[in-house]
Structure formats: C-alpha cells, structure tokens
Amino acid sequence: MAGGRNHSASERAPSLSVVIPVFNEPVWIRRAVADLEEAVRRSPFEDVRLIIVDDGSDPPTQEALATLETGLDLTVVRQANAGRFAARRAGVAAASGQLVLLIDSRVSLGPDALAFVAERLAADPSAVIWNAHVDVDVDGNLYARFWNVLTEIAFREYFDDPRTTSYGLEEFDRFPKGTTCFLAPRDELMGAIEAFSSHYEDVRDANDDTVMIRHLAARRRINISPGFSCLYRGRGALLPFLRHSHHRGVVFVDGFLRRGTRFLVPLLLFFPVSALAVAVAAARPRAALRAVPVAPLACAAVAAVHRRRPADTAALALLGPVWALVYGAGVWRGAAAALRARVRR
C-alpha cells in the first residue's frame, strides 16, 4: 500500500487535514512539511489539506512560511502568540477533513506512517484514533537523550515492548501520549477541545494534550504502534532545555492535579517533601552542599536499575539534578497559578 495510489472508491481513505502549530521554527518547519508530503505520497490519502498555524512567530519563521514550497493544499493561519493549545484549536477549527493529524513543527512523520494507518482503517474502521510512537533523535544531543530516557522509564510498560496495541482510561497513565503526532476524527477532536478545561487562567501554561486525549480515551480506545511513528528533534542547548523543563513542570500540574490520575499522589507528596528539603538546606547549608555530589550518583543508580546504556546513564547523571530543581520550580509555579485562578473564580 505504501507505494501507490491505485485504489477503488470503496478503498479510498478518508479526507485528511494536517494541523501544524509553529512558533519560531524557520528551519524545522520546512523539514516537517517535506517529510509529511513524502508520507502522504506513499499512502492512499488523496484529499489532504495542510493547515499551518503561525502562533506569533519571529520574522525568520514568517519568511520561511511565505516561501514554503509544497505540493499539498496549504493554508497558513496567523494569530498573536497564544500558545500551542490555542494554535491547535484554530487549526482544527479551520480543518475540513474527516480526520485531523496534529503534528509539531520539529517532527518528521515516518514515511510509511500514513500508509500503516490507512491499512488499519481499512481492516477496522473503528480504529480511528492513533497516538504516534515517538522516536527521539538523540545523536549528539545530550538534552534530547535525557528526555528520551525519562520518557522511556516513565512509560516502560510500552517501551520495553513496543507493539501495536491500544489503551483506554484504565491504562491511560501507563502509555506515552501527546499531540506531538496524533490522529483523530475532526468532530471528536473538536469535542475534546471544546470540553477542555485548565486549572490556569493563561492557557499558554495549560496541559494542551494529556487532558484532551484523556477526554477521547473515555469514549474510544487510543491506538499506538511503531508502525505509526515519527521522529522528534529536541532542543540542543542548555538554556532552551531549562526553559522547557520549567514549563513542563507547570504543565504537569495542570494535567495531573486531577482525580484518578496515576501521578496525583506523588504530585501531592512533592509539595511537603520539597518544602522540607528546602527548609533543611536553609538551616544546614554546609550539610546540603556536602550532599550535592550524591544527586548525580542517585540519578545514575536509577539508570542502572533500568539497565540503560552508558550514554543514557551519563545524560541522566549530568542533567538529572539541575532538571529536578528547575522542573520542581515549575511544579510550584503551576500550583501557585492554579490556586490563584481558583481564588479568582
């Protein structure tokens, strides 16, 4: 199926809209679109529309979009910076396809990913929601390797044995998920967007994917498979890594400070434990400094327990302690923002 488009009307794939939110990505957006176009070419999807939502990007990105060459039916929607959730909402609202593929601007869709989904749809028309298997480009990128190790440990039930499977609410928090690359019927996706609620007043800090996907999983099982895969390119410098880590801490609170989530109890325990640790460090600064070298060793021990490769162990040991501080600060900021919003409401 990957090679051609000779399909009868009964085998024809549903219409497809692809939504890519972009913010300050003048280089990777070109690669993302080129790889998407190749995946479309190798699939039976014929009625494909590409919608790029420019979320208040800088001039280089605006220029890249203005000169973007693609054989796909392209629409560029522009808005003042409002965050990924608002950008995706605008893109889905502008979509006309029966299915919508959400994909990020630093992501390359696997060349046979759409062909795989089309084949599965032909065999089982109810299998219409797909969360991509995300491979992370870790070559020469310590920061991307760190995030990859963290993700694979957190969702080891799937990553220890990547396979074609599905999950519902009962297994929801044990599988990787995200709108980095996510396919669903437009009407169901729009319903999840309309039902979306955040603990925060500023949706730029909201958990823009887990909450929506949880809504979908309550109604239909989410499929995942290495056959529907993409390649994610992480940021490769310290400052962007720190900003991203802090933001993910904020987002974590919005996504998991909710009843029934796997991480609710650890999240609630984090606040008294971290507050106590800060108090002890302030009271006994010399003892706290002597304990600093223990943190990388503890991170390395975690990697060893999970039988990670030496490069993975090094990434966790080198970046784990600083990540924990910055991510933890983000969690506290998220809790403060949620409390502030609740009081004002």
Side-chain angles (χ1 to χ4, degrees), residues 200 205-208 246-256:
Y200 306 145
D205 289 331
N207 190 308
D208 59 314
H246 182 77
H247 179 68
R248 294 313 301 176
V250 177
V251 167
F252 184 81
V253 174
D254 196 41
F256 293 100

Side-chain angles (χ1 to χ4, degrees), residues 251-324:
V251 167
F252 184 81
V253 174
D254 196 41
F256 293 100
L257 191 61
R258 300 171 189 264
R259 291 181 181 177
T261 66
R262 171 190 173 194
F263 299 107
L264 177 61
V265 172
L267 178 59
L268 293 176
L269 289 174
F270 165 81
F271 297 109
V273 170
S274 61
L276 179 62
V278 170
V280 170
R284 305 186 64 181
R286 290 185 180 178
L289 286 174
R290 286 196 295 270
V292 167
V294 176
L297 295 176
C299 292
V302 170
V305 167
H306 291 279
R307 300 179 181 180
R308 304 301 304 193
R309 295 180 294 272
D312 294 345
T313 301
L316 208 61
L318 289 171
L319 294 177
V322 66
W323 168 83

Side-chain angles (χ1 to χ4, degrees), residues 22 49-54 62 65-66 68 73-79:
V22 60
R49 182 184 177 201
L50 171 59
I51 302 164
I52 297 178
V53 183
D54 178 9
Q62 294 177 24
L65 294 177
L68 188 63
D73 178 9
L74 172 63
T75 299
V76 177
V77 177
R78 288 188 168 86
Q79 64 179 33

Side-chain angles (χ1 to χ4, degrees), residues 174-213:
R174 300 191 179 279
F175 279 82
K177 68 197 65 65
T179 45
T180 295
C181 186
F182 189 83
L183 179 75
R186 181 192 179 276
D187 58 347
E188 295 185 38
L189 193 56
M190 203 68 219
I193 290 172
E194 290 171 352
F196 174 82
S197 65
S198 172
H199 290 313
Y200 306 145
E201 295 175 300
D202 188 346
V203 294
R204 288 177 295 184
D205 289 331
N207 190 308
D208 59 314
D209 47 14
T210 303
V211 178
M212 288 197 303
I213 298 174

Side-chain angles (χ1 to χ4, degrees), residues 37-272:
E37 193 168 0
E38 174 64 11
V40 170
R41 186 189 68 78
R42 295 164 66 100
S43 80
F45 287 97
E46 297 180 355
D47 186 5
V48 180
R49 182 184 177 201
L50 171 59
I51 302 164
I52 297 178
V53 183
D54 178 9
D55 186 35
S57 293
D58 54 16
T61 303
Q62 294 177 24
E63 175 65 20
L65 294 177
T67 59
L68 188 63
E69 295 183 0
T70 176
L72 299 174
D73 178 9
L74 172 63
T75 299
V76 177
V77 177
R78 288 188 168 86
Q79 64 179 33
N81 179 251
R84 287 196 310 178
F85 174 75
R88 290 187 178 121
R89 179 174 56 195
V92 175
S96 56
Q98 295 165 285
L99 298 178
V100 171
L101 172 64
L102 299 173
I103 190 167
D104 283 350
S105 55
R106 300 178 72 92
V107 171
S108 285
L109 189 62
D112 292 318
L114 290 178
F116 174 85
V117 166
E119 183 178 317
R120 290 285 168 160
L121 280 172
D124 180 6
S126 68
V128 289
I129 302 183
W130 288 85
N131 194 119
H133 172 104
V134 180
D135 293 312
V136 179
D137 185 359
V138 299
D139 290 344
N141 189 335
L142 180 71
Y143 308 100
R145 184 176 291 277
F146 172 83
W147 281 114
N148 187 55
V149 174
L150 217 58
T151 302
E152 291 188 352
I153 289 176
F155 301 110
R156 57 187 177 275
E157 182 175 322
Y158 172 76
F159 283 112
D160 284 352
D161 180 24
R163 61 207 182 275
T164 300
T165 185
S166 65
Y167 58 88
L169 278 183
E170 62 275 14
E171 313 101 334
F172 186 82
D173 289 328
R174 300 191 179 279
F175 279 82
K177 68 197 65 65
T179 45
T180 295
C181 186
F182 189 83
L183 179 75
R186 181 192 179 276
D187 58 347
E188 295 185 38
L189 193 56
M190 203 68 219
I193 290 172
E194 290 171 352
F196 174 82
S197 65
S198 172
H199 290 313
Y200 306 145
E201 295 175 300
D202 188 346
V203 294
R204 288 177 295 184
D205 289 331
N207 190 308
D208 59 314
D209 47 14
T210 303
V211 178
M212 288 197 303
I213 298 174
R214 188 183 294 276
H215 177 89
L216 293 169
R219 291 151 181 80
R220 193 193 292 265
R221 291 186 71 81
I222 311 295
N223 298 278
I224 186 170
S225 172
F228 179 57
S229 67
C230 67
L231 179 67
Y232 173 75
R233 301 174 182 88
R235 292 158 181 82
L238 179 60
L239 189 56
F241 170 78
L242 295 177
R243 285 197 297 259
H244 183 61
S245 298
H246 182 77
H247 179 68
R248 294 313 301 176
V250 177
V251 167
F252 184 81
V253 174
D254 196 41
F256 293 100
L257 191 61
R258 300 171 189 264
R259 291 181 181 177
T261 66
R262 171 190 173 194
F263 299 107
L264 177 61
V265 172
L267 178 59
L268 293 176
L269 289 174
F270 165 81
F271 297 109

